[in-house]
Amino acid sequence: MFEIFRYEFMRNAFIAGVLLSVIIPCIGVVVVLRRLSMIGDTLAHISLAGVAAGLVANINPVAGAATFSLLAILGIEGIRKIFPRYAEISLAVMMAAGIGIAGILSGFVKSSLSFTSFLFGSIVAVSKYELIVVVILSAIVLFTFFFFYRELFYITFDEETAKLAGIKAKRINFIFMLITAITISISARTVGALIVSSLMVIPVAAAIRAARSYRQTVVYSMIFGLFSTILGLFISYYTDLKPGATIVLVEIILLFLVIFVKEIAYLVKSRTR
């Protein structure tokens, strides 16, 4: 069963997968609770535009994805100031821009295969260099998330109260958007730009259903993410399926199992009263 660890590419895949399955749900908890689930899709499409730009300019596609994602953060914040009561407009506009730019630049990419690999990911093709990048950036994201844990907790539930408590909400918002952009950029190569938004939301949805507090939601979302990633990698290896897509399907099944168990527990509890 554990023969897959004899291969270096599978060991790299597991290390990268474990790290990403921890940091993505961390970011996802704040995203989902703030009702900004669409931001994952927005930055994913923007990162695709960056990937295409990187391939056209013959530079590292991940660097291109990171650059475009960071520029998108600035664009989102700028548009939000213009439409303060309609924050979702900024996400829709930037997503449309990402789709448009990616569509145009993809026509100039010489190898369509290399661009396609960023759509659904290629975690088993992670190189040593890319693994080092994932490790470093994952450490930065995790440190930032837990360093600003209190501030993120406040702005997640009540930004106005956070301001009254002396928290610089705008600065924390920008830092959070920054680490979100970094997370999605490094995930584009591994799990795929079109899949990362699912990984950001589904484990959190299961955690919300199972947890009783914010802290439990963070912990459960990481546990669900880890379990789904490890199981998904095993299944994809032995069935020759796409790893990223397999991980997402495992997470969906896990979500429905959590919902089912909670419903059964509620029915049993209501009958014993």
Side-chain angles (χ1 to χ4, degrees):
M1 179 180 180
F2 296 100
E3 64 180 27
I4 61 175
F5 293 110
R6 292 186 300 177
Y7 305 104
E8 184 180 6
F9 71 91
M10 284 305 302
R11 292 198 297 269
N12 291 344
F14 267 88
I15 294 171
V18 165
L19 289 172
L20 293 176
S21 65
V22 171
I23 65 171
I24 293 176
C26 274
I27 301 299
V29 169
V30 180
V31 167
V32 172
L33 292 178
R34 296 186 70 185
R35 293 173 175 81
L36 292 173
S37 300
M38 191 178 173
I39 195 172
D41 281 326
T42 301
L43 292 178
H45 285 85
I46 290 291
S47 69
L48 274 180
V51 166
L55 293 172
V56 171
N58 199 26
I59 61 174
N60 191 310
V62 176
T67 302
F68 270 60
S69 296
L70 295 176
L71 290 174
I73 295 300
L74 298 176
I76 289 171
E77 289 301 312
I79 297 173
R80 283 181 65 184
K81 290 180 181 178
I82 299 173
F83 300 97
R85 295 185 180 180
Y86 307 98
E88 69 277 4
I89 289 179
S90 61
L91 300 179
V93 170
M94 295 309 297
M95 179 186 288
I99 294 172
I101 296 172
I104 291 174
L105 292 179
S106 63
F108 296 95
V109 177
K110 295 180 180 179
S111 175
S112 59
L113 182 61
S114 58
F115 181 70
T116 304
S117 67
F118 282 87
L119 294 175
F120 299 101
S122 184
I123 195 169
V124 294
V126 175
S127 65
K128 285 186 177 180
Y129 168 76
E130 290 170 334
L131 182 60
I132 292 172
V133 172
V134 169
V135 171
I136 294 173
L137 293 181
S138 296
I140 293 172
V141 171
L142 272 179
F143 173 80
T144 305
F145 179 83
F146 287 106
F147 185 81
F148 292 106
Y149 181 87
R150 173 179 169 273
E151 289 83 353
L152 287 171
F153 173 80
Y154 268 100
I155 67 170
T156 295
F157 294 100
D158 194 338
E159 194 167 316
E160 294 303 318
T161 302
K163 292 178 182 178
L164 293 174
I167 295 172
K168 297 180 180 179
K170 288 184 178 180
R171 180 180 297 178
I172 298 301
N173 274 324
F174 180 78
I175 292 173
F176 173 72
M177 296 286 274
L178 191 64
I179 61 174
T180 302
I182 292 173
T183 301
I184 291 177
S185 298
I186 63 176
S187 302
R189 170 62 175 159
T190 51
V191 295
L194 298 183
I195 294 176
V196 64
S197 58
S198 301
L199 300 178
M200 189 173 285
V201 173
I202 299 172
V204 179
I208 289 174
R209 191 64 181 156
R212 295 183 178 181
S213 67
Y214 177 80
R215 181 173 296 179
Q216 280 190 2
T217 302
V218 173
V219 173
Y220 286 1
S221 64
M222 290 191 291
I223 292 173
F224 291 151
L226 273 171
F227 175 80
S228 301
T229 299
I230 293 172
L231 182 59
L233 285 172
F234 271 105
I235 293 173
S236 65
Y237 176 80
Y238 288 107
T239 57
D240 197 27
L241 297 173
K242 291 286 186 180
T246 305
I247 292 170
V248 170
L249 290 177
V250 170
E251 288 185 334
I252 291 174
I253 293 172
L254 181 61
L255 171 61
F256 282 121
L257 282 175
V258 170
I259 293 173
F260 177 76
V261 170
K262 291 294 291 186
E263 288 297 322
I264 293 297
Y266 175 77
L267 289 174
V268 171
K269 188 176 180 179
S270 62
R271 287 184 178 180
T272 55
R273 289 179 179 178

